[in-house]
Amino acid sequence: MNSLITLGGVTRSYRLGGGTLQVLKGIDLTIEEGEFVAIMGPSGSGKSTLMQILGLLDRPTSGRYHLLGRDVSRLSDDQGAILRSRTIGFIFQMFNLLSRTSALDNVALPMIYSGTANRRERALEVLTQVGLADRIHHRPNELSGGQQQRVAVARSLVNHPRIIFADEPTGNLASDQAEDILNQLKLLNRSGITVIMVTHEPEIAAHARRIIRIRDGRIVADERGQPEPAVAAAHPEFPLDLRHPKASLAELREFSLSALRALAANKARSALSMLGILIGVAAVIAMLAIGKGAQKSIEARLSSLGSNLLMLFPGAPSTRGIRGAIGDTSRLTLLDAKAIRSLSPQIADLYPEAEGNVQIVNGDKNAITEMQGVTSSYESIRNAKPAYGRFFTDREDLALARVVLLGTTVVRELFGAENPVDKTVKINHMNFKVIGILPAKGASGFSDQDDMIVVPIRTAMRRVLGTQYLHEMAIECASAEAIPYVIGDIRNFLRHRHRLPDFKEDDFTLRNNAEMQATLSETTRTMSMLLGVVAAISLIVGGVGIMNIMLVSVNERTREIGLRKAVGAARRAILAQFMIEAAVLSTAGGIAGIVLGVTVSMGLSTFAGWAAVVTPQSVLLAFLFSAGVGVIFGFWPARKASLLSPIEALRYE
Ligand code: ADP
Ligand code: MG
């Protein structure tokens, strides 16, 4: 039968500075199943190094290592992890328990990596075995050193190991507690488990049945005490299946919980690193909501105008946009409007408009608002049948009647809930009778379309504004097909009337509503894209913040990573753990960001009167984006963690 452990000419060197430091200088060793071996030697002689090689935490630089008849000196990291988790238990001098984690969960940890079922029962069983049944919910900092080490003993046992390695297991314990741990190890050995213990204290070593002494990396003595026959326990036969256990829900749960624990342990830091994502997501949601709201109200307005509408403005197309800055160009008058109206049977209707800002007063309340002077055709062309009251008539217009229709915002500001119809208001110190309330149009982006009043155009021009010139003219064509002809007719008419020579540009601007609609949706698309880029940049900044924190976290928890690997975590498991942690961080930030974004959008639409529409798609988008940011930016730190070597990690102080 094969021996449990056979080493032949094993060396281990470390690269140090320029040269190499040979720590093990050719170790030949055979250990049989059921032995209780103490490895003794002065500090720095290579005991821990030897034990780490034996425990598959490290690989020899040269030489052969057979474990249970199988050559294991060239196993991959992950194969080593699986073999460890099935056959080997570790006990360390520093206990290496996960803080903030109960004794029960600490003991159950190796079973999560080995994919064992009934973890709770088994953990309870071994904790009872080491006499800690009444301490299962205590955390390491609530336990004495001896109790912590007993938890570690229980942890080393859960997966039914064949070998237990203990590196100075009593080094940090008072002598009575040390005695207790040694007795535990003896009991385990009697049950058939091979125990290999590293110590530099002769009294401790005296408990073993075989003492191997090393000095400067070589075995200098190998003494066997009285051979006490061990009771062989039934163990699964080698070869073991070294494939990964499937990723399990238990793993996911443990990782998520440990992520939450780690985040909760550093609340301020976690909150700050979430802030970037939070702001990014809130910005995405609010921007999309405002963009969408603006687009919707513009679309609604334009479609209520109908696509057969033409707008005529004074001034050349190239100078449009700088209203009022058009000194030497044409003017449009009411006479022009009249002439254009009868220009062609293809023109179905038309209204001229003159506008200006006025002060409007009701009692002690007053407001500045936009006054539009129009003709009665406005009502049908603009779909503006009053919600209350009536529109004015042509006769009132010709008579310069002082009648006014109010937009809903003006009503709210000046009258509150009171009905203004038939009341008298003052517009620029003149009395006007309110005859109706205009239908609400809603806000469009940054401007409130209901913050305006409508009066007859002649009243506006002669009584209030003192002008003869129009601001614009809206012309309704008989059909969409007629639009090009109407445009042609109006151009000819106006160029002729203004005596423009052929080489001169139009001194007026004609714009088609459909065209305007296209321009506007183009503009809003560009805007949304711009906003999207800004939001994406802030999310990336947030992601970098998370990556930063994750790197710090990986550094801080190097020991924990080493421990997890020692108890059987494969690379994939460590990678998953830290990615989940990053994702939890960014998703939590994302959710907070969604709440903030929705609140801001609703606040803007309620209090500032902006149109803001939060769509479920934008919420989903923001959520997925933030989770994605966590995964993408968490990958590098997580990979760094997963590639840590268990011994480097365990040595890390
Ligand atoms: P012991 O456990 O017997 O006290 P170790 O096996 O821990 O000794 O270490 C033996 C020697 O190897 C020590 O001099 C130590 O400094 C050195 N050593 C251990 N690990 C490393 C490492 N990763 N890199 C460089 N030197 C190391
Ligand atoms: Mg040591």
Side-chain angles (χ1 to χ4, degrees):
M1 196 198 132
N2 279 317
S3 299
L4 182 68
I5 286 171
T6 321
L7 291 187
V10 163
T11 70
R12 177 70 169 102
S13 325
Y14 292 112
R15 242 179 278 280
L16 267 190
T20 55
L21 172 73
Q22 193 165 35
V23 177
L24 297 181
K25 300 171 179 162
I27 301 277
D28 299 302
L29 179 64
T30 305
I31 295 173
E32 302 298 337
E33 182 124 39
E35 285 197 86
F36 189 153
V37 185
I39 299 176
M40 269 200 77
S43 177
S45 55
K47 307 181 295 292
S48 295
T49 305
L50 176 59
M51 198 203 79
Q52 283 153 0
I53 288 176
L54 290 174
L56 301 173
L57 293 173
D58 193 10
R59 267 172 256 172
T61 308
S62 69
R64 286 169 297 106
Y65 176 17
H66 283 77
L67 178 64
L68 288 147
R70 178 175 184 151
D71 184 2
V72 290
S73 42
R74 293 283 170 264
L75 283 186
S76 77
D77 275 13
D78 281 0
Q79 286 173 325
I82 295 165
L83 197 50
R84 255 193 325 271
S85 93
R86 306 264 170 84
T87 54
I88 295 171
F90 285 100
I91 300 167
F92 302 95
Q93 177 174 357
M94 304 294 294
F95 321 137
N96 283 336
L97 301 177
L98 298 185
S99 54
R100 303 189 289 271
T101 306
S102 71
L104 193 74
D105 286 338
N106 262 298
V107 171
L109 187 66
M111 295 188 281
I112 284 166
Y113 294 122
S114 60
T116 314
N118 299 329
R119 286 180 300 278
R120 211 189 137 79
E121 290 74 13
R122 176 63 184 155
L124 206 58
E125 190 184 334
V126 285
L127 275 168
T128 312
Q129 190 180 331
V130 299
L132 283 178
D134 55 340
R135 293 282 189 281
I136 58 170
H137 295 303
H138 287 57
R139 295 174 177 197
N141 59 2
E142 298 161 343
L143 296 170
S144 73
Q147 288 170 329
Q148 290 187 54
Q149 195 61 305
R150 278 196 270 164
V151 174
V153 170
R155 181 180 62 195
S156 74
L157 289 177
V158 282
N159 276 335
H160 305 280
R162 297 174 78 157
I163 317 170
I164 285 183
F165 290 99
D167 192 351
E168 309 264 14
T170 58
N172 276 19
L173 297 180
S175 55
D176 54 331
Q177 292 174 334
E179 194 72 27
D180 172 57
I181 294 297
L182 282 168
N183 285 331
Q184 297 276 358
L185 290 177
K186 276 188 193 166
L187 275 174
L188 295 179
N189 180 240
R190 276 200 204 104
S191 75
I193 298 175
T194 309
V195 176
I196 300 173
M197 176 174 72
V198 165
T199 182
H200 63 269
E201 294 176 71
E203 314 89 77
I204 305 289
H207 290 266
R209 279 183 281 115
R210 178 181 173 190
I211 299 179
I212 297 170
R213 291 177 202 278
I214 54 177
R215 184 175 287 273
D216 290 335
R218 288 184 218 280
I219 295 181
V220 292
D222 189 346
E223 305 149 14
R224 285 168 202 271
Q226 70 291 8
E228 192 181 310
V231 188
H235 284 300
E237 266 314 305
F238 224 59
L240 282 159
D241 178 6
L242 289 190
R243 279 174 308 185
H244 286 298
K246 284 206 193 70
S248 65
L249 220 61
E251 262 181 308
L252 191 69
R253 207 186 75 109
E254 205 275 339
F255 297 160
S256 310
L257 278 179
S258 78
L260 290 177
R261 266 189 228 115
L263 300 183
N266 294 296
K267 284 191 196 66
R269 193 170 85 184
S270 310
L272 285 176
S273 59
M274 273 190 250
L275 205 58
I277 297 282
L278 188 151
I279 292 171
V281 166
V284 172
I285 299 255
M287 304 242 160
L288 287 177
I290 292 167
K292 190 86 195 162
Q295 193 183 345
K296 273 204 167 163
S297 67
I298 288 171
E299 276 169 8
R301 271 192 78 201
L302 288 177
S303 70
S304 80
L305 289 180
S307 53
N308 298 346
L309 205 66
L310 280 175
M311 303 299 288
L312 172 63
F313 307 94
S318 51
T319 54
R320 285 288 310 158
I322 354 171
R323 288 190 175 194
I326 336 163
D328 58 347
T329 58
S330 68
R331 307 282 205 188
L332 291 172
T333 62
L334 283 172
L335 285 176
D336 290 325
K338 202 168 174 195
I340 290 172
R341 176 69 186 86
S342 52
L343 205 56
S344 150
Q346 303 280 30
I347 295 177
D349 205 353
L350 166 158
Y351 74 83
E353 182 185 323
E355 64 180 57
N357 286 335
V358 294
Q359 187 195 40
I360 176 166
V361 179
N362 169 43
D364 57 351
K365 297 205 190 89
N366 76 90
I368 302 289
T369 189
E370 181 185 308
M371 179 187 71
Q372 296 185 357
V374 295
T375 59
S376 62
S377 294
Y378 178 95
E379 183 180 6
S380 66
I381 295 177
R382 296 296 296 261
N383 250 330
K385 191 173 162 47
Y388 288 98
R390 61 174 182 88
F391 216 82
F392 56 80
T393 60
D394 289 339
R395 184 173 307 186
E396 282 170 315
D397 183 18
L398 289 171
L400 309 189
R402 287 182 298 205
V403 291
V404 61
L405 290 107
L406 306 181
T408 50
T409 302
V410 178
V411 172
R412 186 155 21 88
E413 281 175 10
L414 293 189
F415 290 92
E418 202 186 331
N419 181 1
V421 176
D422 290 335
K423 300 268 162 42
T424 301
V425 293
K426 277 194 189 319
I427 296 174
N428 286 6
H429 308 297
M430 272 172 281
N431 282 334
F432 274 72
K433 187 175 146 200
V434 178
I435 56 169
I437 301 177
L438 294 164
K441 293 180 197 147
S444 98
F446 309 103
S447 74
D448 179 358
Q449 302 300 319
D450 297 314
D451 186 5
M452 52 90 86
I453 59 175
V454 165
V455 299
I457 189 162
R458 288 174 176 81
T459 313
M461 291 170 81
R462 308 232 174 106
R463 288 196 192 271
V464 188
L465 299 172
T467 177
Q468 307 169 42
Y469 301 116
L470 303 178
H471 204 269
E472 65 188 52
M473 218 182 284
I475 300 138
E476 191 172 59
C477 303
S479 66
E481 295 72 47
I483 292 174
Y485 302 104
V486 173
I487 290 179
D489 289 346
I490 295 176
R491 274 196 69 198
N492 285 340
F493 170 77
L494 284 176
R495 287 187 71 89
H496 187 251
R497 199 169 168 106
H498 296 166
R499 300 202 168 78
L500 286 179
D502 282 351
F503 61 86
K504 275 210 165 174
E505 183 183 18
D506 287 350
D507 59 0
F508 52 88
T509 307
L510 266 169
R511 218 174 262 164
N512 176 345
N513 186 27
E515 215 173 90
M516 240 149 60
Q517 222 159 333
T519 317
L520 274 171
S521 57
E522 183 65 25
T523 313
T524 43
R525 222 193 335 270
T526 314
M527 264 243 303
S528 322
M529 254 164 64
L530 217 68
L531 296 180
V533 168
V534 170
I537 289 173
S538 62
L539 277 178
I540 289 173
V541 172
V544 171
I546 286 193
M547 180 154 69
N548 191 9
I549 283 306
M550 289 307 298
L551 283 174
V552 172
S553 170
V554 167
N555 259 339
E556 271 180 0
R557 288 154 68 197
T558 304
R559 265 189 101 79
E560 174 194 329
I561 295 163
L563 181 267
R564 285 177 184 270
K565 288 197 151 186
V567 303
R571 279 184 181 170
R572 176 186 54 83
I574 300 291
L575 188 75
Q577 178 189 342
F578 280 88
M579 301 254 300
I580 286 173
E581 203 166 308
V584 165
L585 201 59
S586 66
T587 314
I591 290 172
I594 288 171
V595 171
L596 181 67
V598 171
T599 314
V600 165
S601 309
M602 284 181 359
L604 281 179
S605 66
T606 315
F607 298 111
W610 292 15
V613 181
V614 179
T615 59
Q617 291 97 306
S618 72
V619 170
L620 190 71
L621 184 83
F623 181 81
L624 293 180
F625 219 95
S626 61
V629 163
V631 170
I632 290 166
F633 286 92
F635 181 76
W636 184 45
R639 191 178 135 77
K640 208 175 153 212
S642 75
L643 292 180
L644 278 176
S645 125
I647 52 156
E648 296 294 331
L650 281 171
R651 268 176 198 272
Y652 187 89
E653 299 302 333

